[in-house]
Amino acid sequence: MTSVTSLTDLVHQRLAAALATALPEAGSADPLLRRSDRADFQANGILALAKKAKANPRELAAQVVSRVASGDVIKDIEVSGPGFLNVTIADRAITANLAERYADDTGRLGVPVARQPGTTVIDYAQPNVAKEMHVGHLRSAVIGDSLAQLLEFTGETVVRRHHIGDWGTQFGMLIQYLDEHPHELDHKDAEVSGEEAMSNLDRLYKAARAHFDSDEEFKTRARRRVVDLQAGDPQTLAMWQKFVDESKIYFFSVFDKLDMEIRDADIVGESGYNDMLAETCRLLEESGVAVRSEGALCVFFDDVKGPDGKPVPLIVQKSDGGYGYAATDLSAIRDRVFHLKADTLLYVVDARQSLHFRMVFETARRAGWLNEDVKAHQLAFGTVLGKDGKPFKTRAGETVRLVDLLDEAIDRASAVVRDKAQDLSEEEIAERGTQVGIGAVKYADLSTSANRDYKFDLDQMVSLNGDTSVYLQYAYARIQSILRKAGDVRPAAHPELELSGAERALGLHADAFAETVAEAAREYAPHKLTAYLYQLASLYTTFYDKCPVLKADSPEQVENRLFLCDITARTLHRGMALLGIRTPERL
């Protein structure tokens, strides 16, 4: 695998080496390099080092400049202000570095893998059995899927876990009703759509609920069923499985529409940890982490108190012997740490559950299941809001069905594609409309920092102007169109050519792809990747406006500009794929 050292790292290495010789006592000091408006890079680490060494910062900066090896990478370096260093990169280095990335035949664009990758379990996309997925399920699925792809790309071993709600007292009511109306989940055809499966479940749920609320004898039978289910009665479990299977038909259809691969083996719901619950409670009680309080098994915390000032415990086992969410979540931690051998547990879960997870993680730490080597982290995400800035609801005040939302996004995007399409068939417009619509929804979600709320505004999402995935997809399609028009003229790097300002800006940004991916993965921040890609597309637009490609001044310049076009397209394609978004070749 070809791994390319970025220009940032090359400059960093040269400056660090010069610093070490100018100020040996500083050891391996960080020059604090960043992109700058005044030059290609600015290093401002010398100020702090000079202060520490009681030296004059401008004099120290001048000593560093005199020791920097310039030429192949650094064209020019000068002292600025109180002791900053302004660094200009040689045009040749920009083109040569991109050429190395371009030559990487693995499709990784020279992005290295992490030196010491670990194993991360990502818990995301957690719908409930026998219940419709709504807008609240969107963020967990979209953010989790992107993080899984980002981390895998950096070399991490990723285990996906979909902790679906497939257990609990409501199943007594559903199972009992199905037992008394055995054909309610029968299918007319062998092929069942997700919509049909959900409508079966919805109808049965409503009928069972009405029966449960109005018929005391049915209520008693339903409650007995819960006991049978928890005791593992084979017939009751078989009927419970029917609900799980029917729900999965629906789940898979929604994830398919979201263009996400969800594998059956990765779905380990609440029921998957049933056999561990009693042992989890025993281990917590024997170690003194949990104590009995009013018959329930509880964990107390100094900093968690109710409005009355009394401690609010995490209840692991209720006084009637039943288990709560905490027992399941703690058992899942044990499974993920000791069986799956994870060193990072990542939970992509709504911010409203933050207190619960804080208590669960602290309990696991006290029990010794989490420690310095094994960390758990909740990526708490904000709420999806309507245009009015309030939680997203239908006009009737109901929660918005996820499928309706996605269908509307596809319809809006298809209209945009149809309006711009020049030589696309109806079939192609439908396919591109789906890719643009789903991309628009994902990008709007991912371009907001996860912990913030965001407004779901379809007009803005499918706009060709501004920070949208449609803008990026059109930039990619425009490049493909130029490459097709070039015919037999192939993209080729010419490091000997001087670059214009627009070419340099585009080239330097394209070279920063690897460090952006590493940062987005390290910080669980897909929004940093979306910001990078939007800037890449914007810089490409400027380049396209200022630098004729096919009508450039010389054959070498035509090839070099085609090369800049192609490396931009490949970077957009790879970056968008890490966000789970398609880049159509024609739009």
Side-chain angles (χ1 to χ4, degrees):
M1 190 194 83
T2 316
S3 177
V4 181
T5 305
S6 72
L7 291 167
T8 311
D9 284 347
L10 288 171
V11 174
H12 188 282
Q13 287 165 13
R14 310 271 157 109
L15 292 185
L19 253 173
T21 54
L23 196 68
E25 63 268 32
S28 56
D30 187 349
L32 296 179
L33 196 66
R34 59 183 179 81
R35 291 299 308 277
S36 168
D37 297 335
R38 296 165 189 273
D40 294 332
F41 292 98
Q42 188 173 73
N44 52 19
I46 285 174
L47 298 177
L49 287 167
K51 194 174 176 185
K52 211 169 167 185
K54 296 189 170 48
N56 179 311
R58 272 192 74 90
E59 284 176 15
L60 177 59
Q63 285 182 43
V64 171
V65 168
S66 69
R67 288 171 167 80
V68 169
S70 58
D72 59 337
V73 175
I74 296 174
K75 179 186 176 186
D76 190 35
I77 180 166
E78 59 181 26
V79 181
S80 159
F84 299 126
L85 294 180
N86 285 344
V87 181
T88 304
I89 304 292
D91 288 357
R92 170 179 290 279
I94 295 173
T95 307
N97 234 45
L98 290 178
E100 274 192 71
R101 296 193 180 287
Y102 193 71
D104 180 1
D105 55 11
T106 65
R108 290 183 59 85
L109 298 164
V111 177
V113 293
R115 283 199 189 93
Q116 292 176 300
T119 297
T120 297
V121 174
I122 304 188
D123 189 326
Y124 69 104
Q126 308 107 343
N128 293 312
V129 164
K131 287 191 182 165
E132 187 123 40
M133 288 174 74
H134 54 77
V135 66
H137 291 109
L138 180 66
R139 299 209 73 186
S140 177
V142 170
I143 296 167
D145 183 61
S146 175
L147 285 174
Q149 302 204 55
L150 258 171
L151 290 170
E152 277 180 337
F153 188 65
T154 62
E156 188 79 356
T157 298
V158 174
V159 182
R160 293 158 169 81
R161 277 291 172 267
H162 311 296
H163 191 88
I164 63 170
D166 65 353
W167 204 247
T169 52
Q170 76 276 18
F171 282 101
M173 169 185 92
L174 296 173
I175 291 166
Q176 188 57 35
Y177 188 83
L178 185 61
D179 196 21
E180 295 174 17
H181 304 82
H183 300 296
E184 282 296 299
L185 290 182
D186 289 357
H187 299 143
K188 299 179 194 73
D189 306 304
E191 279 290 307
V192 188
S193 70
E195 199 70 18
E196 187 192 332
M198 193 62 242
S199 108
N200 276 349
L201 288 163
D202 196 43
R203 190 181 63 247
L204 190 150
Y205 189 91
K206 284 174 178 161
R209 168 55 69 186
H211 217 42
F212 187 85
D213 291 342
S214 62
D215 183 335
E216 283 302 317
E217 287 183 3
F218 177 76
K219 192 180 276 190
T220 305
R221 294 198 297 277
R223 284 181 173 150
R224 254 199 314 260
R225 267 298 158 133
V226 177
V227 178
D228 293 343
L229 179 64
Q230 289 173 340
D233 169 58
Q235 189 203 352
T236 304
L237 276 176
M239 296 181 86
W240 165 82
Q241 190 64 47
K242 281 190 176 179
F243 285 99
V244 175
D245 293 343
E246 192 79 3
S247 298
K248 280 183 179 176
I249 295 170
Y250 163 70
F251 295 159
F252 284 127
S253 74
V254 178
F255 290 125
D256 192 48
K257 187 165 283 212
L258 269 168
D259 197 15
M260 276 179 201
E261 188 195 2
I262 301 268
R263 295 186 297 256
D264 197 49
D266 300 335
I267 299 176
V268 183
E270 294 165 0
S271 64
Y273 305 101
N274 283 346
D275 295 348
M276 300 175 70
L277 301 178
E279 191 184 10
T280 296
C281 291
R282 180 179 63 75
L283 291 168
L284 291 172
E285 192 169 11
E286 282 177 3
S287 62
V289 172
V291 293
R292 292 280 164 191
S293 174
E294 296 174 25
L297 186 62
C298 304
V299 183
F300 289 92
F301 307 86
D302 294 339
D303 59 343
V304 184
K305 294 187 170 64
D308 57 1
K310 290 183 178 170
V312 176
L314 180 72
I315 299 173
V316 186
Q317 189 177 22
K318 294 179 259 192
S319 53
D320 65 2
Y323 300 104
Y325 288 127
T328 307
D329 287 334
L330 287 161
S331 298
I333 288 176
R334 285 177 54 220
D335 178 64
R336 292 164 185 184
V337 173
F338 300 111
H339 175 228
L340 298 176
K341 305 283 188 259
D343 34 49
T344 306
L345 308 179
L346 185 57
Y347 292 77
V348 187
V349 184
D350 190 316
R352 286 170 294 193
Q353 295 188 45
S354 293
L355 178 61
H356 168 78
F357 278 101
R358 202 176 94 211
M359 293 161 85
V360 164
F361 296 161
E362 176 56 29
T363 300
R365 267 192 289 276
R366 290 180 189 178
W369 306 334
L370 296 176
N371 51 44
E372 280 308 302
D373 300 322
V374 186
K375 301 266 196 316
H377 178 74
Q378 182 199 355
L379 188 70
F381 56 81
T383 308
V384 181
L385 307 173
K387 281 188 191 180
D388 58 3
K390 294 176 183 166
F392 202 23
K393 303 276 185 193
T394 63
R395 284 195 180 138
E398 292 170 3
T399 308
V400 180
R401 296 169 70 223
L402 184 51
V403 172
D404 292 344
L405 201 76
L406 300 178
D407 284 342
E408 192 181 344
I410 291 167
D411 288 346
R412 294 279 187 96
S414 299
V416 171
V417 173
R418 178 174 278 107
D419 188 46
K420 297 281 286 184
Q422 289 166 353
D423 54 355
L424 297 180
S425 67
E426 276 302 309
E427 194 180 329
E428 286 171 323
I429 288 171
E431 182 197 10
R432 306 293 198 283
T434 300
Q435 293 177 349
V436 171
I438 296 302
V441 170
K442 288 183 176 180
Y443 187 88
D445 197 318
L446 295 169
S447 59
T448 306
S449 172
N451 58 7
R452 289 174 48 201
D453 300 342
Y454 82 98
K455 285 185 186 175
F456 195 93
D457 180 350
L458 274 176
D459 293 327
Q460 172 54 32
M461 286 180 191
V462 299
S463 167
L464 290 165
N465 304 312
D467 188 2
T468 65
S469 71
V470 193
Y471 176 67
L472 304 183
Q473 287 168 321
Y474 267 97
Y476 177 81
R478 177 194 277 171
I479 297 172
Q480 296 309 317
S481 169
I482 293 168
L483 294 171
R484 285 194 295 273
K485 280 181 190 155
D488 293 337
V489 184
R490 309 307 309 149
H494 287 278
E496 73 281 1
L497 292 178
E498 273 189 39
L499 299 176
S500 71
E503 288 173 305
R504 298 183 93 260
L506 179 62
L508 281 165
H509 192 69
D511 189 66
F513 179 60
E515 57 217 48
T516 306
V517 166
E519 185 183 5
R522 184 173 62 248
E523 296 179 14
Y524 307 134
H527 69 279
K528 296 205 164 174
L529 180 56
T530 63
Y532 168 87
L533 293 171
Y534 173 58
Q535 197 183 348
L536 182 67
S538 303
L539 289 168
Y540 179 77
T541 302
T542 306
F543 158 80
Y544 181 76
D545 289 343
K546 293 187 172 175
C547 306
V549 178
L550 300 178
K551 293 183 177 171
D553 293 341
S554 68
E556 290 78 18
Q557 198 175 46
V558 171
E559 289 176 351
N560 202 58
R561 286 182 177 171
L562 281 171
F563 157 71
L564 279 172
C565 288
D566 202 8
I567 190 89
T568 301
R570 291 183 188 192
T571 307
L572 281 170
H573 174 76
R574 171 51 70 193
M576 294 284 266
L578 292 175
L579 301 172
I581 299 173
R582 304 264 175 190
T583 38
E585 300 287 308
R586 293 173 192 264
L587 273 174

